[in-house]
Every structure is written in structure tokens, then in C-alpha cells.
Amino acid sequence: MIRRPHPHEIKLLPQIENEADLRYRHVGLDRVIDMPPASLASLEAGRREGRLWIAVSALDQPIGFALMKFPGGTAWLDQLSVLNRWQGRGHGSALIEQVAAAARRLGHRTLYLSTYRDVPWNAPYYTRRGFEEMPRGDWPHIFRMQEMGANRHGHPPWRRTIMRRLLG
């Protein structure tokens, strides 16, 4: 089930992100593991502003989350994380659909994200969910600036891409 988080659940979300990021070790991206997760302040702002959703287990325990932001007025899937033991059960897809529906309700026609192009649970995963890679020459200035920030945090730029999904 997907729902909005309760205030007391916010502190659990960085732990979910950190555990989910452990998978990056298997594809030579240990730097991702060393990067700080989404801040509590950012997550709390997302909760208050209705831009944050969680996937929960049958016992109503948080097992994943999605955070949407609006850089340059665009709808942006900023973070998607699901605990490793819960992956492959449709929780990530359900979170993506929740974000897409919210973006659509707010009048956005496209949902964007940045990800690794060659990591199986990144670009190939998003492609199967209706996203397409944007040619670098089509990236708006705000996206270029975001990727420059990601590069400074250790994301290798040659492995990164920006993707979009038309919302119809």
C-alpha cells in the first residue's frame, strides 16, 4: 500500500535509503553508499507539502518512499528507495505511479528524474515504467546545474542520464 507518511516515520526514511543504496557496491559505485541520504528537513518539507509517499508492509511499516521536487517548475522524481528485501514486489512501481498521478493533478505533463544509465535497477527499470532517456543537448539549464551538483558529490557523469515520462 502507498500512503503519506506520518511525522514520526520521517526519521526511518534515511535508513531505508541507506540500506537500498548498498546494492550499488555490486556495480562498482561504492561512492553512492558514502553519500548522505535525503535530509530529514527535506523529507519533512516533502511530507508537509504533499510531495512524499511511503510504501508500507502488511503491518503498516515503511518499506520504501518516493520524494518529488519541482526544480525550475518541473515535476522531478527526486528519490525512490525500497528496502532490498521488499524489492521486486511492485512497491517501487506503485510509488512511481503515485508520483506521476500527483504531478498530473498539479498540471504537469512530464515527470523527470536523473539516474545511472547502466545500472539494472536504474535506467533500464525506469524505461520499463514508461521513461525515456533525454539527449544531453535537450537538458534544460536547471537540469544541467543539478547534474553538476551530483558530479561534485561523486556521481560519475559518464554513467548518468536524465529521463522523462510523458504524463498525458
Side-chain angles (χ1 to χ4, degrees):
M1 179 175 89
I2 306 300
R3 65 170 172 80
R4 296 236 173 111
H6 302 298
H8 70 276
E9 294 171 321
I10 296 300
K11 68 180 180 282
L12 304 173
L13 304 184
Q15 297 166 22
I16 291 171
E17 183 178 345
N18 284 338
E19 184 193 310
D21 284 353
L22 293 175
R23 296 177 79 191
Y24 286 98
R25 182 166 284 132
H26 304 295
V27 293
L29 289 167
D30 287 3
R31 298 235 351 135
V32 173
I33 298 165
D34 298 333
M35 292 177 196
S39 72
L40 292 175
S42 174
L43 293 165
E44 177 56 27
R47 185 195 68 77
R48 283 193 325 272
E49 296 166 10
R51 303 180 285 104
L52 178 66
W53 298 269
I54 61 172
V56 296
S57 69
L59 299 175
D60 202 37
Q61 298 300 307
I63 58 171
F65 73 96
L67 176 65
M68 179 170 56
K69 293 187 177 178
F70 300 102
T74 64
W76 186 270
L77 177 57
D78 189 67
Q79 183 62 43
L80 176 69
S81 292
V82 175
L83 289 171
N84 291 329
R85 67 186 170 276
W86 290 94
Q87 291 178 6
R89 301 181 192 187
H91 301 293
S93 294
L95 285 163
I96 291 168
E97 292 309 314
Q98 182 66 51
V99 172
R104 196 177 304 110
R105 281 192 303 276
L106 292 170
H108 294 274
R109 306 193 75 194
T110 308
L111 178 61
Y112 298 92
L113 60 83
S114 66
T115 193
Y116 285 102
R117 68 171 27 102
D118 61 340
V119 175
W121 59 91
N122 281 191
Y125 172 83
Y126 290 116
T127 298
R128 292 189 304 274
R129 278 135 194 94
F131 287 84
E132 65 180 359
E133 192 170 336
M134 290 180 66
R136 285 187 186 267
D138 293 350
W139 293 6
H141 179 71
I142 189 74
F143 294 177
R144 292 174 195 273
M145 298 303 293
Q146 279 187 200
E147 283 304 297
M148 286 174 59
N151 296 347
R152 282 193 297 276
H153 284 41
H155 291 286
W158 61 92
R159 294 184 78 174
R160 302 286 294 168
T161 189
I162 293 179
M163 301 182 81
R164 65 180 163 213
R165 176 176 160 183
L166 300 179
L167 299 176

